[in-house]
Every structure is written in structure tokens, then in C-alpha cells.
């Protein structure tokens, strides 16, 4: 009761103290980070490996189990889960809340590097990322052009766009969805192969044998030095059609164009990305497991502005989905609820007590108390989120009591 007695005897002191609390609360609120929920996301590191053409059973035994056995026992590991599907292995490793995600990712990379040589020859190198293997993009960007094909658009995105978003703080991966990079597609004619006693392995061996680009050392003289390399001689579909597969019994050179149709096409034909009825390339922004969604996507939006200014003529980029919009709307709704609760409490006091002065005291005290609470949140490292704001709504009744 000492503080209340002093405030009654010295109203100026009480007014100055209230204004001080109000000022500190406003300053603290401006510096508090904004999140959807409290920062309790556990650190998660994922390992994803692609094995083209392999079934789920093969992926499970040849890749998933091998990597799981190697990463088991890392310091601070809480749980590990994995999924094996056709051509793809996904492993998610969850660590304790106290574990630093960067250190955990480095430990996982060290363990995975030990088993790379034990994986099948056709498997791509494992990719270690600071995200959940089941994480979905927090934002989708649509890249369209009225002059480039989808393959060319995908190639442009991989060369000049993706790395700019992947390097943003809080972004774990910028994933491209579309027609795939340009590749040389060879459609074999089984009848032509059978007529020449050839198999698919013969075509594959010929491609591996002939389509090479190797270093060849260097040439040195008294004054000059030259680096020498064996250039890849197969660049266009016509070059591949002229590739010699084998020599027939009569000495005839069997070329690839006689047994296959060669063309430049997308790497995969199983996926397509469309936006507003138009073919496009999608870039999914996946945040790190412990990153702040609002801060990360705000940095992405700023980068979009800079990227759009450098795009070629006829190319556009827009954000088609954005999780931060829902989060901001949800927080704004809680702010509105806070104001409505304050007005209703003041109205109820006025109706039941019938005194404007009795209503005025809590009507002034409640905003001061709620604003001063932000100072405590900042002092303990908390954030402004749905949980803390709902707690402030509930605390209005405690202040009135």
C-alpha cells in the first residue's frame, strides 16, 4: 500500500511515474520482435538425397539406412525420422532447444561426409539443410516471361535469381518448381536397337566413353605455360546424333541418330508449374526451422524489389502466396480485441457504478499497465506474438480487480 499512499499524497509524482512507464513501454514495444508464436521451435536439420530411377525399397536400404546409422548419436539429438519414396530419401533430425542449429548442421555434415563413398554411384550427393524435411514454402514467387520458354526461364532462375534469395538470413532453401533445366533427351527406338543387336547398356556405355571433358595437364616452355584440356565435343543434338555407338559386322559405324531420337528438352516431364493460367517458374522460399517468419519474409520482399529492377525486358516476378499476411492479420485481430475489451470493461464499470470518475480511473490505468508490460517482455527477451497478446487481453480483468 506504500505506493498507493504516496500516489494519493503526491499526484504529480504519480503522473510522472505513469508517463515514464508509458514511454518505456512504447520504446520497448518498438524494439520487440514480432512472431506468430513464441520462439520455441526446436532446431531441425534435414538430409535429402536423390537417387534417380530407384524404387522406395532400394532407397530405404541403400541410402536412408546408411545415413541414419551414421548420424545416430550426434550430441543433443532428440529424435530422428525418415521417409523413403521413389527416387528420394528424406531424413529429419530434431535437436534439443538449447542446441545451436549452426553447430548441429555442421555436425550432421561431418557425419554425412563419411558415408558419401558408401552410397550408390547413381545417387546425387546428400543435401544438408537447416529445415524440416516436410517443411513447406512460406512464400511462393512466380517468374514469368513472354519471350523465354520454360526451360530458358528455369535456367535463368537457377543462374541469377535463386542464390540471391537463398543467401538471405533465415532462408534455408529457395526451391524451384517448373519444367526443369534444359537437358539432352535421348528417346531410344527399341526396334532399331534389336535390329542392330544393341541394348540400353550399350548406349549408356557409349555416352560415358565418348562424352568426356578431362584435364590434360599443361605444356611448358621457357617463357610460356599453357593449360591443356580435352574439350567436350558433344554440345548440340546433331553432335549426339553423330556419336558412334558401335561398329557393325560389315564395318558400318552405327551412330546414335540411327537408333534414337535426340532433342533438347526439360530434365523432367512429370511436373509443371502454372500461374494464372500461364506457364511459369515457381520459387518456393523455405525458412529455417528456428527463423522468424515475419522478419525473413520481409527481407525476401525487399530482395524482390531489387531483383525485379534487374530482370530482362518482358520478365516479371510477383509473390503469389505469403504466410506473413495471415500472421499480421491474426495479430491485428488480437490488437482489435484488446481495444474492444478495454472499451467494454470501461462501459460495464460506468453502468454498474454510475460514476464517470470511477470509470475514468481504470480506463487510464489499463492502457498504462498494458504498455508498461512490454518493458518486462523486452527485459526477459520475449516477443510480441499471439500468446502474449492474448495474455494481455486476459490481464485486463486482473487490472480492474
Amino acid at each position: 500500500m506504500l505506493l498507493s499512499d504516496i500516489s494519493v499524497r503526491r499526484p504529480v509524482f504519480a503522473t510522472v511515474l505513469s508517463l515514464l512507464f508509458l514511454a518505456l513501454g512504447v520504446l520497448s514495444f518498438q524494439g520487440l520482435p514480432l512472431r506468430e508464436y513464441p520462439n520455441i521451435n526446436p532446431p531441425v536439420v534435414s538430409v535429402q538425397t536423390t537417387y534417380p530411377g530407384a524404387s522406395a525399397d532400394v532407397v530405404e536400404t541403400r541410402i536412408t539406412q546408411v545415413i541414419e546409422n551414421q548420424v545416430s548419436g550426434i550430441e543433443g539429438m532428440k529424435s530422428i525420422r525418415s521417409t523413403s519414396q521413389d527416387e528420394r530419401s528424406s531424413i529429419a533430425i530434431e535437436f534439443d532447444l538449447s542446441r545451436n542449429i549452426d553447430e548441429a548442421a555442421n555436425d550432421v555434415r561431418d557425419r554425412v561426409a563419411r558415408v558419401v563413398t558408401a552410397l550408390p554411384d547413381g545417387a546425387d550427393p546428400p543435401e544438408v539443410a537447416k529445415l524440416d524435411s516436410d517443411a513447406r514454402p512460406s512464400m511462393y514467387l512466380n517468374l514469368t516471361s513472354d519471350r523465354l520458354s520454360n526451360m530458358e526461364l528455369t535456367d535463368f532462375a537457377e543462374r541469377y535469381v535463386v542464390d540471391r534469395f537463398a543467401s538471405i538470413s533465415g532462408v534455408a532453401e529457395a526451391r524451384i518448381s517448373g519444367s526443369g533445366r534444359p537437358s539432352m533427351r535421348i528417346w531410344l527406338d527399341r526396334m532399331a536397337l534389336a535390329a542392330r543387336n544393341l541394348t540400353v547398356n550399350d548406349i549408356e556405355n557409349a555416352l560415358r566413353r565418348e562424352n568426356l571433358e578431362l584435364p590434360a595437364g599443361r605444356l611448358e616452355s621457357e617463357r610460356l605455360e599453357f593449360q591443356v584440356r580435352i574439350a567436350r565435343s558433344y554440345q548440340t543434338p546433331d553432335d549426339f546424333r553423330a556419336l558412334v555407338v558401335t561398329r557393325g559386322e560389315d564395318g558400318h559405324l552405327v551412330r546414335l541418330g540411327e537408333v534414337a531420337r535426340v532433342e533438347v528438352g526439360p530434365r523432367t516431364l512429370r511436373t509443371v508449374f502454372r500461374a494464372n493460367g500461364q506457364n511459369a517458374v515457381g520459387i518456393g522460399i523455405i525458412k529455417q526451422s528456428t527463423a522468424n517468419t515475419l522478419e525473413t519474409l520481409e527481407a525476401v520482399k525487399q530482395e524482390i524489389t531489387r531483383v525485379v529492377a534487374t530482370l530482362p525486358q518482358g520478365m516479371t516476378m510477383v509473390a503469389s502466396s505469403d504466410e506473413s499476411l495471415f500472421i499480421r492479420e491474426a495479430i491485428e485481430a488480437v490488437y482489435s480485441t484488446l481495444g474492444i475489451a478495454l472499451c467494454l470493461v470501461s462501459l460495464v464499470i460506468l453502468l454498474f457504478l454510475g460514476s464517470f470518475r470511477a470509470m475514468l480511473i481504470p480506463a487510464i490505468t489499463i492502457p498504462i499497465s498494458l504498455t508498461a508490460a512490454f518493458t518486462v517482455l523486452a527485459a526477459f527477451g520475449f516477443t510480441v506474438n499471439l500468446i502474449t497478446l492474448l495474455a494481455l487481453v486476459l490481464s485486463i480483468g486482473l487490472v480492474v480487480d
Side-chain angles (χ1 to χ4, degrees):
M1 300 298 291
L2 180 62
L3 182 60
S4 60
D5 293 341
I6 295 176
S7 300
V8 171
R9 291 196 302 268
R10 300 179 181 274
V12 176
F13 170 76
T15 302
V16 172
L17 192 62
S18 299
L19 293 176
L20 179 61
F21 286 151
L22 195 63
L24 291 175
V26 172
L27 292 175
S28 300
F29 175 77
Q30 293 177 348
L32 284 173
L34 190 64
R35 301 180 65 97
E36 182 180 11
Y37 296 110
N39 186 16
I40 55 173
N41 296 326
V44 177
V45 178
S46 68
V47 182
Q48 300 185 13
T49 310
T50 302
Y51 190 6
S55 64
D57 292 337
V58 175
V59 171
E60 172 70 20
T61 56
R62 299 292 304 277
I63 295 179
T64 304
Q65 292 182 359
V66 174
I67 297 178
E68 274 188 347
N69 295 335
Q70 185 63 37
V71 300
S72 298
I74 296 179
E75 178 185 358
M77 189 175 69
K78 185 176 180 181
S79 64
I80 181 172
R81 68 179 187 274
S82 64
T83 57
S84 300
Q85 54 189 4
D86 293 346
E87 301 185 347
R88 191 174 184 85
S89 168
S90 300
I91 301 175
I93 308 167
E94 181 179 334
F95 293 87
D96 296 330
L97 289 174
S98 58
R99 190 76 159 90
N100 183 275
I101 189 170
D102 294 323
E103 297 177 356
N106 290 333
D107 290 345
V108 173
R109 291 190 184 96
D110 292 340
R111 294 292 186 94
V112 172
R114 301 176 187 176
V115 297
V116 171
T117 56
L119 299 180
D121 294 335
D124 295 337
E127 298 179 358
V128 179
K130 292 177 284 189
L131 54 84
D132 195 333
S133 59
D134 297 329
R136 58 187 179 87
S138 301
M139 175 184 285
Y140 259 113
L141 310 178
N142 293 345
L143 186 65
T144 58
S145 175
D146 56 5
R147 303 185 181 186
L148 300 180
S149 65
N150 270 22
M151 288 188 300
E152 295 171 334
L153 200 58
T154 302
D155 185 64
F156 178 87
E158 289 189 342
R159 290 174 182 267
Y160 306 108
V161 178
V162 172
D163 290 341
R164 298 183 63 171
F165 291 104
S167 61
I168 296 176
S169 177
V171 175
E173 180 184 359
R175 182 179 300 168
I176 289 185
S177 302
S179 61
R181 297 180 58 186
S183 60
M184 197 67 64
R185 302 192 67 88
I186 300 175
W187 304 93
L188 298 177
D189 185 345
R190 63 180 186 276
M191 301 299 294
L193 289 177
R196 294 164 176 80
N197 294 323
L198 294 175
T199 64
V200 177
N201 288 334
D202 296 329
I203 305 298
E204 181 180 358
N205 292 334
L207 289 170
R208 293 183 183 275
R209 181 178 63 249
E210 300 294 338
N211 189 29
L212 295 176
E213 183 172 354
L214 300 173
R218 60 176 178 265
L219 295 177
E220 298 179 357
S221 65
E222 294 181 357
R223 297 183 179 182
L224 299 176
E225 180 178 302
F226 298 94
Q227 294 291 336
V228 181
R229 66 183 179 90
I230 301 175
R232 187 189 302 270
S233 57
Y234 298 94
Q235 302 288 341
T236 65
D238 291 335
D239 295 337
F240 277 90
R241 294 188 190 101
L243 184 146
V244 176
V245 178
T246 186
R247 182 186 295 271
E249 296 180 357
D250 56 353
H252 171 69
L253 297 179
V254 179
R255 301 183 182 275
L256 184 61
E258 300 178 23
V259 296
R261 175 168 55 90
V262 183
E263 63 181 8
V264 176
R267 178 173 296 182
T268 175
L269 300 176
R270 303 178 64 181
T271 59
V272 64
F273 191 91
R274 297 178 64 84
N276 298 325
Q278 180 182 4
N279 289 335
V281 170
I283 303 175
I285 306 298
I286 304 177
K287 71 179 187 68
Q288 296 178 6
S289 58
T290 57
N292 186 336
T293 302
L294 294 176
E295 293 179 356
T296 302
L297 296 187
E298 186 63 30
V300 171
K301 292 176 184 177
Q302 295 175 4
E303 186 63 29
I304 291 175
T305 304
R306 292 189 287 267
V307 170
V308 169
T310 62
L311 292 179
Q313 189 174 4
M315 189 178 297
T316 59
M317 174 184 287
V318 295
S320 60
S321 66
D322 185 357
E323 283 190 356
S324 65
L325 298 179
F326 165 76
I327 298 174
R328 293 187 184 278
E329 289 294 331
I331 293 177
E332 289 294 333
V334 177
Y335 283 138
S336 300
T337 303
L338 197 61
I340 293 172
L342 176 60
C343 295
L344 290 178
V345 168
S346 301
L347 182 61
V348 169
I349 293 175
L350 179 62
L351 292 177
F352 279 84
L353 297 183
S355 172
F356 183 79
R357 184 174 183 275
M359 182 273 294
L360 189 61
I361 294 175
I364 296 176
T365 305
I366 292 174
I368 295 175
S369 301
L370 296 181
T371 306
F374 292 118
T375 306
V376 181
L377 293 178
F380 284 91
F382 293 157
T383 63
V384 176
N385 54 72
L386 294 178
I387 304 301
T388 53
L389 291 178
L390 289 174
L392 292 178
V393 174
L394 297 175
S395 66
I396 291 178
L398 299 177
V399 175
V400 174
D401 292 340

